[in-house]
Amino acid sequence: MGKRARTSIDTAIVDVWKREVGGLSTRNFAQRRGASEDLVLRLDLFRKLEKHRGCVNTVSFNADGDILVSGSDDRRVILWDWESGHIKLSFHSGHNNNVFQAKMMPYSEDRSIVTCAADGQVRHAQILERGPVETKLLAKHQGRAHKLAVEPGSPHIFYTCGEDGLVQHFDLRTGTATELFTCQPLQDRGYMPLVHLNAIAIDPRNPNLFAVAGSDEYARLYDIRKYKWDGSIDFGQPTDFFCPQHLIGDEHVGITGLAFSDQSELLVSYNDEFIYLFTRDMGLGPDPNMGSSVSMGTDAGEMVPDHHSEESPTDMDPDVKVGPQVYKGHRNCETVKGVNFFGPKCEYVVSGSDCGRIFIWKKKGGELIRVMEADNTVVNCTESHPHTAVLASSGIEYNIKMWTPKAIDRATLPTNIEKLRPKAKGWLHHLVSPQDLMLQLFSLQRQGTSPDQNGENSSAGQDLLELILTFDANSDGSSDEGRDNSSAEDCFE
């Protein structure tokens, strides 16, 4: 008679026994249970947090995980006791347009919050004794500033990136902003004189390393140690590039989200495409145009071995470079959508979708194990609790949804998930507003290529002409921050 397959309940009982007899430490027990697929399959809606009067563009937890910070199109920032659903504090951010990101600085007694927004401003909010909030303008991008990244363990240091291609470094001790570089495309693309940056992330294992990405196909890795603070050299050259081989040269894709795992793996979410996971040895080197396949981003001791292939080392051809793990099923065509890890050791990958669902994959192997009905429209943000199996999500709707593993029954996957590449619209599809056009003009001016100069800058005038024609051809009244008109059936057939 064959052996009965061991269920997750069986393994849970064994783990409890091992913990009680000293065979499994309390920490390992918590991590093993926290990464249990059974918990993922039992995630269910715990609570809606409803107070914002606009789309909720950002959600993040404090270090202890008891406070959730949110920012919205209503320009307000709210601190929630998410478990009870009560508001601890609500204040106006000081921005004059949609708040795109709000994060609490670590080791600040939950009193220091940094924000960036559609007005391009970067602001610092300080919660004073007895509740008053003071906000201060730190710097400004030309155009929208979608994301910021806080240096792990630092109450003072963070970075921002914007659609002007600029990356800035901030130190709250001095209140100053340092303009590090403006991100330039590798190839000459007349309609795109710079890379509009949508995402920035810092490696938690080595905070000297950070990645940025935006309106072209590459995620770029930088090492802040190479920056000369006296401004004596140009810091614009990345130490490494990451891109799936089949997307190199593809002008129809861009990147909307980045995340680093605790193992220094880089998660990249493409617009009009899929999600990919890169280990450090998958970099293209500091100059992809040279065809380099050797990573130059870190010391040898920081390299992370690839673990996605099921083949043993003896079965693999040493000359064949293993590609990144891919995650399929969701739809990312309409908005600037984030991506994240889930689990105590980043065992899962999680993303929202244009169809209003949340998708969860196993990090290793890329198997889709969970699809949750979340919003009626787009889900843009998915944020994992720092210590336990809790997930926060938000998007076009005016509320935040909290997910906990409280369901009695384990969820099952729909059988008809669409896994083909979404129809590509390209990044030109999103250049549809006067603000976008003006941003391009500012970028050309910033590079000293004003079209009213004669002779040497005639190519800049051609760039402007092509940009205006593109703008006219694509002006259909839509917006990458607006409501999505797609239906849920776009993700399932």
Side-chain angles (χ1 to χ4, degrees):
M1 187 168 64
K3 276 190 174 182
R4 180 175 62 91
R6 177 173 288 183
T7 68
S8 61
I9 296 178
D10 294 334
T11 59
I13 293 173
V14 171
D15 285 345
V16 171
W17 174 77
K18 285 183 177 179
R19 184 189 63 174
E20 293 303 311
V21 300
L24 189 64
S25 71
T26 301
R27 171 181 287 185
N28 288 337
F29 174 81
Q31 290 180 338
R32 188 175 295 185
R33 289 299 95 211
S36 167
E37 185 177 334
D38 185 68
L39 292 184
V40 176
L41 297 179
R42 295 183 191 276
L43 285 173
D44 199 3
L45 182 62
F46 172 73
R47 182 183 303 284
K48 289 184 183 180
L49 305 178
E50 299 179 289
K51 195 64 176 180
H52 281 296
R53 297 180 179 178
C55 305
V56 182
N57 306 309
T58 174
V59 288
S60 61
F61 290 95
N62 66 342
D64 291 336
D66 59 333
I67 297 175
L68 185 78
V69 182
S70 63
S72 167
D73 286 2
D74 62 13
R75 307 171 195 175
R76 300 194 69 81
V77 173
I78 298 180
L79 278 61
W80 306 83
D81 179 340
W82 63 267
E83 196 164 1
S84 68
H86 295 149
I87 292 177
K88 297 177 72 70
L89 182 66
S90 176
F91 63 92
H92 194 282
S93 64
H95 291 283
N96 54 42
N97 211 326
N98 308 348
V99 177
F100 281 163
Q101 188 136 59
K103 282 186 176 291
M104 198 171 279
M105 299 298 292
Y107 302 106
S108 65
E109 298 182 341
D110 298 336
R111 291 180 177 273
S112 179
I113 299 170
V114 289
T115 59
C116 60
D119 57 10
Q121 293 184 16
V122 181
R123 303 187 69 90
H124 179 215
Q126 289 183 289
I127 304 172
L128 307 180
E129 293 293 335
R130 299 182 181 177
V133 179
E134 288 185 354
T135 66
K136 176 184 178 182
L137 175 64
L138 298 178
K140 197 174 188 300
H141 288 267
Q142 294 290 343
R144 293 171 288 195
H146 283 284
K147 297 294 181 183
L148 57 84
V150 175
E151 183 175 297
S154 171
H156 310 296
I157 305 298
F158 70 100
Y159 299 75
T160 64
C161 66
E163 290 186 354
D164 55 358
L166 179 65
V167 175
Q168 300 189 78
H169 175 280
F170 293 84
D171 189 332
L172 294 177
R173 289 168 292 194
T174 62
T176 59
T178 302
E179 296 186 359
L180 297 180
F181 60 90
T182 298
C183 193
Q184 305 289 336
L186 281 179
Q187 291 82 24
D188 180 20
R189 296 177 180 178
Y191 63 89
M192 191 173 68
L194 52 81
V195 178
H196 305 276
L197 295 177
N198 298 317
I200 183 167
I202 299 175
D203 184 348
R205 203 173 226 184
N206 184 354
N208 293 304
L209 304 177
F210 66 92
V212 299
S215 57
D216 72 0
E217 67 270 33
Y218 294 105
R220 294 162 168 83
L221 185 72
Y222 293 85
D223 190 335
I224 192 62
R225 292 170 295 189
K226 296 181 180 297
Y227 182 74
K228 302 299 182 183
W229 294 100
D230 60 3
S232 60
I233 65 168
D234 180 19
F235 183 60
Q237 178 61 34
T239 59
D240 215 344
F241 287 80
F242 295 87
C243 181
Q245 286 291 333
H246 70 284
L247 293 183
I248 294 176
D250 189 337
E251 298 184 9
H252 297 289
V253 297
I255 295 169
T256 65
L258 293 174
F260 273 106
S261 73
D262 292 341
Q263 297 82 38
S264 294
E265 301 151 314
L266 182 60
L267 193 61
V268 183
S269 181
Y270 279 85
N271 183 281
D272 297 333
E273 240 270 346
F274 304 130
I275 298 170
Y276 296 89
L277 182 73
F278 297 90
T279 53
R280 192 61 51 76
D281 57 338
M282 294 179 184
L284 301 172
D287 187 0
N289 290 329
M290 298 298 292
S292 172
S293 61
V294 179
S295 173
M296 303 292 289
T298 61
D299 298 330
E302 296 170 351
M303 298 287 282
V304 179
D306 177 70
H307 56 267
H308 301 302
S309 175
E310 296 299 324
E311 296 180 279
S312 67
T314 56
D315 295 330
M316 296 178 60
D317 185 341
D319 295 327
V320 175
K321 188 170 179 64
V322 178
Q325 178 63 62
V326 61
Y327 307 92
K328 302 180 180 181
H330 76 309
R331 184 175 186 268
N332 180 15
C333 299
E334 299 298 331
T335 58
V336 180
K337 202 171 279 83
V339 69
N340 222 322
F341 291 97
F342 185 68
K345 290 186 177 180
C346 304
E347 292 88 351
Y348 303 94
V349 169
V350 58
S351 173
S353 175
D354 290 344
C355 59
R357 294 174 170 93
I358 298 171
F359 287 69
I360 303 178
W361 300 264
K362 288 183 179 179
K363 186 182 75 172
K364 185 174 182 180
E367 178 189 357
L368 180 63
I369 63 169
R370 188 73 202 273
V371 176
M372 302 190 297
E373 301 285 344
D375 291 2
N376 292 322
T377 50
V378 180
V379 176
N380 287 324
C381 305
T382 52
E383 186 75 11
S384 301
H385 190 280
H387 309 303
T388 189
V390 172
L391 185 69
S393 68
S394 68
I396 300 300
E397 294 184 4
Y398 295 1
N399 59 61
I400 303 156
K401 294 178 176 66
M402 304 301 303
W403 306 85
T404 62
K406 69 182 187 68
I408 297 175
D409 298 322
R410 292 160 56 104
T412 58
L413 272 180
T415 58
N416 53 347
I417 300 172
E418 171 58 51
K419 292 190 178 182
L420 299 177
R421 172 174 171 167
K423 182 180 179 182
K425 298 178 181 178
W427 283 91
L428 290 181
H429 172 74
H430 300 303
L431 294 178
V432 294
S433 70
Q435 292 87 347
D436 290 319
L437 181 59
M438 290 306 298
L439 179 61
Q440 298 289 327
L441 299 179
F442 277 131
S443 67
L444 288 173
Q445 183 182 29
R446 186 173 195 161
Q447 298 175 69
T449 56
S450 176
D452 57 4
Q453 296 174 315
N454 294 325
E456 64 190 74
N457 289 321
S458 60
S459 62
Q462 182 65 30
D463 288 344
L464 283 175
L465 178 60
E466 292 179 3
L467 177 64
I468 292 170
L469 292 175
T470 300
F471 170 79
D472 182 65
N474 289 278
S475 293
D476 59 359
S478 62
S479 169
D480 69 330
E481 302 300 332
R483 289 185 177 272
D484 176 40
N485 295 320
S486 64
S487 65
E489 284 69 28
D490 289 329
C491 289
F492 295 85
E493 288 188 349

